[in-house]
Amino acid sequence: MSSPSASPTPNRPPLQGVRVLDLTRLLPGPMCTLHLADLGADVIKIEDLGAGDYASPAVREMLNRNKRGMRLDLKQAEGVQLLLQLCETADVLVEGFRPGVMARLGLGYDAVRERNPRLVYCSISGYGQTGPLSQKAGHDLNYCGYAGVADQVGTPTGELALSNLPMGDLLGGTMPAVMGILAALFDAQRTGQGRHVDVAIADGVLAHAVIPLAGLHSRGRVPAPGGDKLTGALPCYGLYPTQDGRYLAVGAFEHKFWDTFCALLGRPDLAEHHIPKTRELSDWVRREVAQAVQAHPLAHWAQLLDGADCCVTPVLKLDEAQQLPHFQDRGMWVQVQTAQGETMTQMAMPVQMSGYTFAVQRPAPLQGQHTREVLTAAGLDAAAIDVLCQRKVVG
């Protein structure tokens, strides 16, 4: 079956014509505006004239493709006025400062709304614009900690663990911001009235803690780390080391999948213990499965499992995932020529739809690369831009 993007309809980006002013840096905000840019929005990445967005070079390259870049000093009155002028023709503004900073600069929602009532103004912060913790500093792990989510990421032995996929920043910050912006933008197109979208990363990750909350409701207590069905309580769902130190991901929740897996293990006797009745029996089944898996290297299991319908897969490393034919067929990897002339492998946009084929139109901009272009389009002549550059209002 062909993918939706293979439709013969015209290739029209769904957010074509939408202009976004991006004042964010690091991960949650830039990832949010990356999704908007990949869907066709004209995203202008606005950085200060100092360090700007100080994300690592590789992260910066991946998160800021398909955007234009300018530098603007918002601590100068002229810089504030320039941003307000840009807001007049923008559809969305995304900022990630600590609550109150934009208002103190004269760029709060009320000030922007006076210039453009239809603009969608999204604020991404750790704990939100209101509440006792609103001014508290934090990072991904802190937000997950307060939300009771870090407590749920652990091993079957009960030890908490860290993830290299920042759940708070991405699940709690990026995706709620995208959702809120698109909903408010849809409404603004109908009514002419924008909204202030207040995204708290802690709120976002808390709102997705569905499984732990279900455990609290059904058992009257929060599942212990590593002790719920998704984190190690059941031998049919877990990670098992192979002979060469790699892992199998066993997700055989359904009895038919468990039966197939036990047969492949050469242990059909374990099939009757899909959901063990006691903790002792569960531990025994897990040890037996672990012993069987550890008897062979990952390559053996990958070959044996190829074509087997049992929800058991190898745990690949990211560079191996790049070579997986499935992701290649889905177009999930793109080669990007950076502004520095280097070639970089990046993930593609994860949404396919009819009438639009994703492409990288431009690499991540250098700091200030499009300042003159953006200001010229806003109505400033070359002489005025030269003066602003001399005064270090823009760069």
Side-chain angles (χ1 to χ4, degrees), residues 68-129:
R68 295 190 287 166
M70 70 173 292
R71 298 169 75 193
L72 181 62
D73 186 359
L74 296 179
K75 294 182 179 178
Q76 296 193 49
E78 287 178 291
V80 170
Q81 290 306 311
L82 273 177
L83 184 62
L84 289 172
Q85 184 175 342
L86 293 175
C87 285
E88 292 175 1
T89 56
D91 300 284
V92 179
L93 181 148
V94 188
E95 62 93 5
F97 297 107
R98 200 174 297 202
V101 170
M102 288 289 281
R104 288 195 294 273
L105 291 171
L107 293 166
Y109 177 58
D110 291 339
V112 170
R113 182 172 54 179
E114 287 184 10
R115 293 292 189 98
N116 183 355
R118 65 179 178 80
L119 184 135
V120 173
Y121 187 112
C122 179
S123 298
I124 304 174
S125 62
Y127 302 103
Q129 301 299 301

Side-chain angles (χ1 to χ4, degrees), residues 16 40 86 139 143 150 162 182 187 196 204 228 233 255 262 299 320 375:
Q16 180 176 309
L86 293 175
H139 282 296
Y143 312 137
L162 297 173
L182 293 179
D187 187 56
H196 186 188
D228 204 6
H255 210 309
C262 291
E320 294 171 332
L375 294 180

Side-chain angles (χ1 to χ4, degrees), residues 31 59 117 221 264 360:
M31 189 80 183
V59 170
R221 58 179 175 79
L264 289 174
V360 177

